Amino acid sequence: MSFKTQRTFELEIELIIKNYEMSHMQAVLHYCETNDIDPSSINRLISKTLKEKIESEARDLNFFPKRGKLPDL
């Protein structure tokens, strides 16, 4: 694996998102597929911020139960 830190991995994922217009979840899977990496082996590279973005997208797609949100003011 060419990435040694969570930050460099996150930057690469953001670049994939920008170039291919995909979700964070799709970008991580695209990265794994392109580099022939098992997705279960990259958990140490997923930062808290990236994890929160993926979870938010998964909630929007109803993969997780929705959380209560504060109303917009």
Side-chain angles (χ1 to χ4, degrees):
M1 220 176 313
S2 62
F3 294 98
K4 295 182 184 336
T5 68
Q6 289 180 341
R7 183 67 184 143
T8 56
F9 180 72
E10 186 175 357
L11 290 172
E12 180 66 21
I13 296 302
E14 293 296 335
L15 185 62
I16 292 170
I17 291 167
K18 182 179 177 182
N19 290 337
Y20 297 101
E21 298 180 13
M22 38 175 77
S23 70
H24 288 82
M25 194 175 352
Q26 290 171 321
V28 170
L29 293 174
H30 173 76
Y31 174 82
C32 291
E33 184 178 310
T34 303
N35 292 288
D36 197 30
I37 298 171
D38 181 17
S40 65
S41 68
I42 61 159
N43 58 345
R44 70 174 185 83
L45 293 176
I46 297 181
S47 67
K48 182 179 178 182
T49 305
L50 184 56
K51 181 179 178 182
E52 288 171 353
K53 290 176 182 178
I54 292 171
E55 282 183 8
S56 175
E57 290 171 352
R59 285 189 199 290
D60 290 344
L61 295 169
N62 295 321
F63 291 161
F64 293 123
K66 292 211 182 269
R67 288 185 180 171
K69 292 185 179 180
L70 295 175
D72 293 331
L73 298 176

